[in-house]
Amino acid sequence: MKPDKAWHAVNIKDIFSQLKTDEHGLSNTEAKRRLQVYGRNEIKRISRETPLKIFLEQFKSFLIIILVIATIVSALIGQTLDAAVIFAIIIFNAILGFIQDWRAEKAIEALMKMLSLKARVIRDGEEKEIDATELVPGDIIIVEAGDKIPADAVIIKETNLMVNEASLTGESVPVEKSVKTLDSSVPLAERTNMLFTGTVVTNGFAKAVVVETGMNTEIGRLAKMTQTMEVGQTPLQKRLAVLGKKLGILSLAICALVAIIGFLQGKPAFEMFMTGVSLAVAAIPEGLPAVVTISLALGVRTMARRKSIIRKLPAVETLGSTTVICTDKTGTLTKNEMTVREIFVNGKTIKVTGHGYEPYGSFSVDGKVIESGATDQALRLLLKIGLFCNHAILERRNKSGKRNAWKIIGDPTEGALVVAAAKAGIKRGKKALEPISEISFDSKRKMMTTIHINDKGGLVAYTKGAPDVLINKCTRIYKNGKEVKLTKKDVKSIVSVYQHMAGRALRVLGFAYRKIPKRTEISEKTVERDMVFVGLAGMIDPPRKEVKDAVKVCKEAKIKVIMVTGDHLLTAKSIGNEIGLRGKAITGEELDKMSDEQLEKIITDVEIFARVSPRHKLRIIQALKNRGEIVAMTGDGVNDAPALKKADIGVAMGITGTDVAKESSDVILLDDNFATIVSAVEEGRRIYDNIQKFIRYLLSSNMGEILAIFIGILLGLPLILIAVQILWMNLITDGVSALTLGMEPAAKNIMKRRPRDPHASILSRNVFFALLGLGIIIAAGTVFMFYSELSRGIALYKARTMAFTTIVMFEKFNIFNFRSFKDPLYKIGFFTNKYLIGAVLLTILMQVGVVYIPFAQMLFKTVPLSALDWVEIALTSCTVLVIGEFWKYVNYKKDSENL
């Protein structure tokens, strides 16, 4: 039953014919038949990830595959302890990853909740209430103020209907609806003859015919886009995958090389095989997956304290590499709370301060504050009209008494007028001023009037509406406390101010009143004429007070901020100008005329996209990704869900955000504060820096182990380290210490530098040679200790224990080299990371236990060492720190001299 044109472009008569229905609705029998054809009005899962599938996904990493192979090989050759230890690590890592990914699979369930509501429908000519899931195309539904729309529908009758579509289109002002058939090219945000699932009626009444249900609604299409979207790997996942492959190739190459050398030296095949296994184990940092996972989890806890909830572990690191933040306007850069900014009365413009719905603020003229508006009668009269010609209610969100704990029940524009009056101390309360009659707003008159009994017992009409219409209904104007004739000069001045306000994206209303005789018949013809014009009020959904500074910090951190909104271009540019986004601005209509290649070329100059749909947002994100950017997308509405999932990092609002947005995101901001994302980015940068530190530390340690064993083979020495000793170092003594590198405080200049290159390797050439140099120092000292013991006729077990303990101590000193890549210890402070100091001392004590506890001696093939042995070990192993610090000191001094 799909029409040739879009539903909003088809007239009501043709829709009835197409859907075989009429104003009396479907019969119950026909509705049941259609339910079988179209299915239930709900979001369906295209594919569902089973727990088993999600668990198995954790084993796709190349590094994990290598560890699985190492487990199997160890088990086959009888090294059951080695196999058990490696297997335990693999399972631990898989469980952590499974928990995070399973939570992420809840995204579409939130969309389903949106449809779990009741609907008023006409069936068999009678009005009844049914579950919204039972609606079918052709049903006639009835909605009124406060209702959530249960299905996509075309309006067939309406009275003063206004709908808040912010969650779908991003437009902050409720949309005035009508029955007028529109052109097929009209964008989603301007389809005023349609109702969309999940949006909310703020005023009026309507009867509409359902045209789409379930997955065919606008929300259903968003759900389909969200479900079928491919989610790419994070920068860290990509780097670790590359690193894993390199390590895998390296381990295979080492095994092959050792086999060749052993064959040339005439050594037994089994001995060379065991040596190869030891080298392979040494080449792979078995603790790396677990250390990365745990570090990210610790980062999650830290971010929670900074008002950011991380839903997916890799998002912690991705935040730190963000190069572009695409942000929705309504509810993200702004609070989605209309606020009166300017009032024009008595020939002067009055500025109004305050934030959102908080009933606190001041009134000023040319910078001079008017105390609560008490000295200006015209101002108080305008605020009084705005308050009483009004249905909105201002109340606290809770009983805490906090200044920001306020909300509006009703239309946001009317709410702004209630708040403005409250700032001047004007509140409802007198019964005499309650309206006794009302002429409701409609799209033809473009005004609303309420009738009240005044203090003297007479009747007074208060009117608000479109200034250009209202001015024509007035014959007098209120000036200096008196009613005087409205002149052409007055009209010209009022129109000029109105146009100036509108040109700055303010939503402008005019205000007037008229004293009427008691027995007057109330109608628009008898009341809305010969009125007294009072003034204008300009309002806007303003930026959050902290956003301007947050945008500035982003720019200092070389992070581009782009506003992506469904709102009007003029409004978007006005808000952008206030917060520091003054780059090129284009609309969704202009975007439709561009190819993907053209969009990629110009997108670096654009800072504002207005009147965009969800599909436009996806194109914008893809264009940025194609340019190599790491994209964060912030949002709170249903319309943001696909983009949140498509982005490298999706950031949802925790207070105003819909369930759909939250479940599609990677990060949730608990305080809906755009500035919080800046803190999250800073924390992400710190975490990545620290992940990089411990990855490099673990690899430098592993290089020392590989080189020690390899050099020993070349010298014809017995195996210096056995597999279980290497595992002990990689997992316990190194792993525990490496974890505390993740707790290093952030560098002082962390938000002054550019985001790191997303394509940069963890192991650049310079870094590789630096790690190799440290590995050579560790290997040389270890082989020296082992060889000197053997040369003195010491037993193999004693020599191996000396080598084993020496390399452990080397790694304890070596970890201090990685606290900073540039700054020496005396600059960053030796005790600024107490967790690391504690971990080093703990792992030294654990190594002492391995050397002296009989059970551990049996497992690790060690023997007791003397005090003199420990002195020799300490003097040898500290050289790696002495050399590292000297190198940093020399380079630090050079950098300081070049400043």
Side-chain angles (χ1 to χ4, degrees), residues 172-173 334-343 351-363 408 411-421 423 505-508 537-545 575 578:
S172 55
V173 178
T334 70
K335 294 181 74 174
N336 197 15
E337 296 179 356
M338 291 295 286
T339 305
V340 174
R341 282 288 188 86
E342 293 180 9
I343 294 174
K351 301 289 185 181
V352 186
T353 65
H355 299 284
Y357 293 150
E358 298 174 20
Y360 314 105
S362 63
F363 302 84
I408 285 291
D411 182 86
T413 301
E414 291 196 332
L417 298 173
V418 175
V419 173
K423 290 174 182 177
L506 293 177
R507 180 178 172 82
V508 188
M539 61 201 81
I540 197 169
D541 178 18
R544 293 173 180 271
K545 50 191 172 185
I575 296 296
E578 281 197 54

Side-chain angles (χ1 to χ4, degrees), residues 33 102 112 244 247 287 343 422 620 622 651 710 752 771 817 839 854:
R33 187 193 71 79
W102 178 246
M112 294 177 176
L247 291 174
I343 294 174
I620 292 164
Q622 191 59 57
V651 185
F710 192 65
K752 300 290 184 183
L771 300 187
N817 285 324

